[in-house]
Amino acid sequence: MISLAEENYLKAIYSLNQIQQGGASTNAVAEKLDTKASSVTDMLKKLSEKKLVNYTKYQPASLTNRGMAIAIDVIRKHRLWEFFLVEKLKFKWDEVHEIAEQLEHIRSSALVDRLDSFLEYPKFDPHGDPIPDKEGRINKIHDTVLSALPIGEEAHIVGVKEHSNSFLQYLDAVKLVLGTRVKLINRFEFDQSAIVQIAGKENITISFDISKNLYIKFI
Amino acid sequence: MISLAEENYLKAIYSLNQIQQGGASTNAVAEKLDTKASSVTDMLKKLSEKKLVNYTKYQPASLTNRGMAIAIDVIRKHRLWEFFLVEKLKFKWDEVHEIAEQLEHIRSSALVDRLDSFLEYPKFDPHGDPIPDKEGRINKIHDTVLSALPIGEEAHIVGVKEHSNSFLQYLDAVKLVLGTRVKLINRFEFDQSAIVQIAGKENITISFDISKNLYIKFI
DNA sequence: TAAAATTTTTAGAGTTGCCTAAAAATGATT
DNA sequence: AATCATTTTTAGGCAACTCTAAAAATTTTA
Ligand SMILES: [Mn+2]
Ligand SMILES: [Mn+2]
Ligand SMILES: [Mn+2]
Ligand SMILES: [Mn+2]
């Protein structure tokens, strides 16, 4: 039996190993879960005993196949619930993460299957993150960002790299939501800020911090 | 902050005080929560400190106003989720209780409100139990049972008193589901078993154990 | 009403998951 | 290579919730 705390550790280790930067070091996991390094060491030992995590003292941790399957299952539930909250209950995309953090721990495979079917098997969550299927297969995560769009070219916004509420609210305010078509009008070398045309209409200026956190797909 | 365990104790005390039979004695609570009497004593002390429960040593416990409000809120969530699971996800009425036991602890008043609205403010859950509204107002629970229906009279099935899966599955099998119209054809004094006409069609014989656990409303 | 049966509480302890403080290991700097 | 800074682990402890065994209170029965 996997506890709620254990599920959260597995998810944290998974996501730290996705973004390539030192992987799941003790401190990185502690930071991610807002806990202390000593607590992480305790848990890594336990998860290692349970054969869910590969762990050797003083080294970053990684997931075993079993650990990976559990992490992906939790992520599947998180993203399906986020989709449900936005599509059916009409929450905004900056309001769902916290609730999904709770819902992702509900244990019932029948529930997940039926929810998936009720939602008509969505492929992406409200933030553009891919939803793993029943077998744990997961689409490659987006990798091209708006800051890499050449001047004069067009693309669609397909996801966000940064998930903070303030970022999501900013995007709502300037109408840079998922699905929006954008054209790169100009980019300034000085600070990499850019002028972007939104949905074939108005032009706005966005900072590098914005454009490097928006995933796009070329048209 | 109320923990998951505390919420379950409050709910147990609430329901033991509804059915009039000695109320929430230590042993009754232990039985209901499948735990030991000594654990119950500990928790009653804690809930009493928190002013959620009225408790004096060796006496059955009852809820304070604050404890009652919390219990009713948890029950509201339980029954709304059960309704969701049956109406939207197409679960059967004998499959939802266990899942709702988990979902009832999700903390977000916005979620409950939006779920209620999405479901169009249902008044009863799949077992005929009343769903409290946002303000905690709850319809009187049904009180007439099929065993009290006089011979020759008709009624609708509106709820179940017993919630076990085997009972619910039996009812499915003999088509004595919620909303069914029944007519009492005959009752045998010997064992109080009864012949019932179902939906104006076939007659079946049911034991006293069945008929005393079915809530009805006279036509 | 005294003994017996039952219920309830207390005492002591285990598990999980977290913490602080201190020790040990690792990595970077001279 | 020795020192310093950082990271990680260990040691010891706390809170929530649970348990078993034993003691105390209450209720039932004779
Ligand atoms: Mn999320
Ligand atoms: Mn998301
Ligand atoms: Mn239920
Ligand atoms: Mn119910």
Side-chain angles (χ1 to χ4, degrees), chain A residues 78 82 97 127:
Chain A
H78 182 102
E82 282 193 346
H97 179 75
H127 312 103

Side-chain angles (χ1 to χ4, degrees), chain B residues 75 78-79 82-83 93 96-97 100 124-130 160 163 168:
Chain B
I75 289 166
H78 183 102
R79 294 180 182 169
E82 282 193 346
F83 186 91
W93 69 344
V96 297
H97 179 76
F124 296 95
D125 87 354
H127 312 102
D129 294 312
V160 293
H163 287 67
L168 299 177

Side-chain angles (χ1 to χ4, degrees), chain A residues 5-58:
Chain A
E6 288 169 339
E7 287 188 345
N8 283 334
Y9 274 92
L10 294 176
K11 202 163 54 111
I13 294 163
Y14 176 88
S15 98
L16 288 167
N17 278 312
Q18 290 301 104
I19 54 166
Q20 298 312 65
Q21 292 168 139
S25 70
T26 303
N27 266 357
V29 174
E31 167 108 357
K32 178 140 255 204
L33 295 178
D34 195 22
T35 184
K36 301 291 160 159
S38 55
S39 305
V40 175
T41 302
D42 283 355
M43 186 59 96
L44 288 180
K45 280 185 198 160
K46 190 169 37 142
L47 292 174
S48 175
E49 292 251 318
K50 286 193 173 189
K51 302 256 196 272
L52 298 173
V53 155
N54 305 117
Y55 170 63
T56 38
K57 268 189 179 188
Y58 297 102

Side-chain angles (χ1 to χ4, degrees), chain A residues 163-192:
Chain A
H163 287 68
S164 72
N165 285 4
S166 54
F167 183 54
L168 299 177
Q169 284 157 16
Y170 167 86
L171 296 177
D172 267 341
V174 302
K175 305 215 193 85
L176 271 173
V177 296
L178 255 60
T180 306
R181 196 175 88 250
V182 293
K183 179 175 184 182
L184 202 96
I185 305 299
N186 202 1
R187 179 176 286 119
F188 302 103
E189 203 199 318
F190 173 64
D191 63 351
Q192 296 291 310

Side-chain angles (χ1 to χ4, degrees), chain B residues 78-95:
Chain B
H78 183 102
R79 294 180 182 169
L80 275 176
W81 280 116
E82 282 193 346
F83 186 91
F84 167 77
L85 293 171
V86 167
E87 291 301 314
K88 300 292 183 180
L89 299 196
K90 308 303 178 194
F91 276 97
K92 287 186 276 155
W93 69 344
D94 59 314
E95 300 174 319

